[in-house]
Amino acid sequence: MGIVLGDNRYGKAEVRMVHVDRSTPRHVLTDVTVTSQLLGHFDETFLTGSNASVIATDTQKNTVYALARTGGIGAVEEFGLRLARWFVDGFDQVTGARMEIRQHFWDRIPTAQGPHDHSFVRSGGEVRTVLVRKDGDREVVLSGLAGLVVLKSTGSEFWGFPDAPYTSLVETRDRIMATEVTARWRYTDPGHDPATFDRLHADVRATLLERFATLHSLSLQQTLFAMGTAVLERRPEIAEIRMSMPNRHHFLVDLSPWGLDNPNEVFHAADRPYGLIEAAVVRDDVEPVPWAWDGVSGFV
Ligand SMILES: O=c1[nH]c(=O)c2[nH]c(=O)[nH]c2[nH]1
């Protein structure tokens, strides 16, 4: 009885790529997760470890980025075909390809001036939260939201930080800024009727989004404080708001080894590690209620 190699394929899974079409001020965002796998005459690497035929999975990843740069993404069906043809038509040892693409949808953030040109909110996945505490006669309501994912494809800078030992980050005047907002806010008077709670929640959410969209950001910290401030300025019913905002880094892909430029168009959306910015924005004339926040998991 012999042992033989059965079905096989290999490639790079879950290439997280964001493409920004910046050809007009109204940016078009395409956000995809691509898994590229090749089939063909690859027995040798499984059987002997000879990599003479192997198109490296790293190369497959770079090809995803490069084809997005040279031809855009367009419809994911066509992008998948373009990738598959690139490999099957371009290399004798590749006889087949399997390209799986998931596209993630974003809506333009609504603002007073209409849907925003370069600020987006991810559709789906968001939850409304509430944490009610009662201690004898004292009642506290912490309303909130989680999973509110937002992104600006321009209008965000980060520079002027010290050159501390081990600093390698390059200053930028134009980057993607993206975060997933978790927020809880405390009402000064928790005795609202259902319609008022609904209206307040919707208003806070809209205010957070609008401020994120319209502020030209110098840091995520500045954006967080501005979003909290906007809520407190707009809603006297709210005493304080706490926010946790991970910095979902989008790294510009370096395509220069292949003679391609990348004028802020093709990004790698990294999932970890991430910056984590958290702060409370509070009125200085309202009594703090620390027990209301006891047992809150994490910062908010
Ligand atoms: O908005 C930011 N704040 C930071 O503190 C920071 N640190 C970093 O590396 N990138 C960023 N971005």
Side-chain angles (χ1 to χ4, degrees), residues 126-131 140-146 148 181-188 192 196-206 208 228 231-232 235 237-243 281 292-293 300:
E126 182 188 343
V127 290
R128 174 173 166 177
T129 65
V130 69
L131 182 56
V140 179
V141 174
L142 301 178
S143 288
L145 52 78
L148 178 65
V181 181
T182 306
R184 291 188 200 268
W185 52 93
R186 179 169 64 85
Y187 295 108
T188 318
H192 298 297
T196 306
F197 275 126
D198 285 350
R199 192 167 45 76
L200 286 168
H201 194 281
D203 201 31
V204 171
R205 180 180 183 278
L208 291 170
V231 168
L232 295 190
R235 300 284 16 158
E237 300 91 334
I238 297 174
E240 61 178 320
I241 179 167
R242 294 171 76 95
M243 278 178 285
V281 185
W293 300 93
V300 284

Side-chain angles (χ1 to χ4, degrees), residues 286-299:
V286 170
E287 186 81 12
V289 186
W291 62 268
W293 300 93
D294 282 353
V296 164
S297 61
F299 190 80

